[in-house]
Amino acid sequence: ATLYMTKFQQITDIFNKWIWKKSDFDKNGSIQCVDWSREFANEIGSPIGTFSWSALNCWNTGSAFTGTKWKRVKYMWNVPTAWDILFFVFTPNNTYWHTSVADWWCSKTILLSVEQNGGKWQWQGTWTDAIRRKKWDYKGCLGWFTLET
């Protein structure tokens, strides 16, 4: 990325670079949603720490964001900005919960994100578990961490 890219160009460039690929940020051989969130934060130059084994633990403790410029925002009908790191309480099949990165053009009723390992939760980074764009409603969205600049 060049110094003269707008924030929109920078974020779009990162999303386009990673769509349909996979990230094993912590190099443990398991392709998880938290790997993509950490990869993205690193790519934008604001790295975050480990999620303490799950999105659930990270949301509850904020551990990955301690000592950073990322700040917690609880969902209360507000709208995230592209690049915010989203957190979801998820289904009984996924006790670890879920995290993804907000995409452009979210509204009060539609939540768009770029996620990994959100299809079948098989930790392989293929097909619906690859990094991909997804449209949600806000059901189950706890909130996000946003980067204060």
Side-chain angles (χ1 to χ4, degrees):
T2 132
L3 246 56
Y4 303 105
M5 291 178 84
T6 65
K7 185 64 95 181
F8 177 84
Q9 290 169 321
Q10 178 189 15
I11 302 303
T12 300
D13 191 47
I14 293 167
F15 286 163
N16 290 340
K17 171 184 169 184
W18 283 98
I19 294 292
W20 296 118
K21 295 185 175 118
K22 60 186 173 184
S23 168
D24 181 10
F25 188 81
D26 59 10
K27 311 284 189 254
N28 74 355
S30 183
I31 310 302
Q32 300 180 31
C33 59
V34 299
D35 285 310
W36 164 239
S37 292
R38 292 186 68 203
E39 186 79 58
F40 179 81
N42 194 58
E43 286 262 350
I44 64 171
S46 293
I48 56 178
T50 128
F51 275 52
S52 303
W53 298 102
S54 70
L56 160 69
N57 289 343
C58 188
W59 177 256
N60 288 337
T61 66
S63 59
F65 302 93
T66 302
T68 71
K69 293 183 179 182
W70 295 89
K71 302 298 176 211
R72 180 192 307 263
V73 176
K74 291 184 179 178
Y75 171 62
M76 311 256 322
W77 292 102
N78 43 345
V79 177
T81 304
W83 75 72
D84 289 349
I85 298 177
L86 306 166
F87 285 81
F88 298 88
V89 61
F90 228 68
T91 67
N93 299 339
N94 183 0
T95 57
Y96 300 107
W97 296 8
H98 189 58
T99 181
S100 63
V101 178
D103 203 346
W104 299 105
W105 304 289
C106 294
S107 71
K108 291 205 178 260
T109 57
I110 296 172
L111 180 57
L112 302 168
S113 75
V114 179
E115 69 168 9
Q116 175 171 264
N117 198 41
K120 296 184 184 271
W121 295 283
Q122 295 178 336
W123 308 288
Q124 301 300 309
T126 57
W127 192 232
T128 59
D129 285 337
I131 296 170
R132 66 180 180 150
R133 287 190 149 100
K134 184 170 179 183
K135 178 181 173 182
W136 309 73
D137 57 28
Y138 284 85
K139 182 180 179 186
C141 180
L142 297 167
W144 46 86
F145 280 80
T146 191
L147 188 58
E148 291 188 342
T149 53

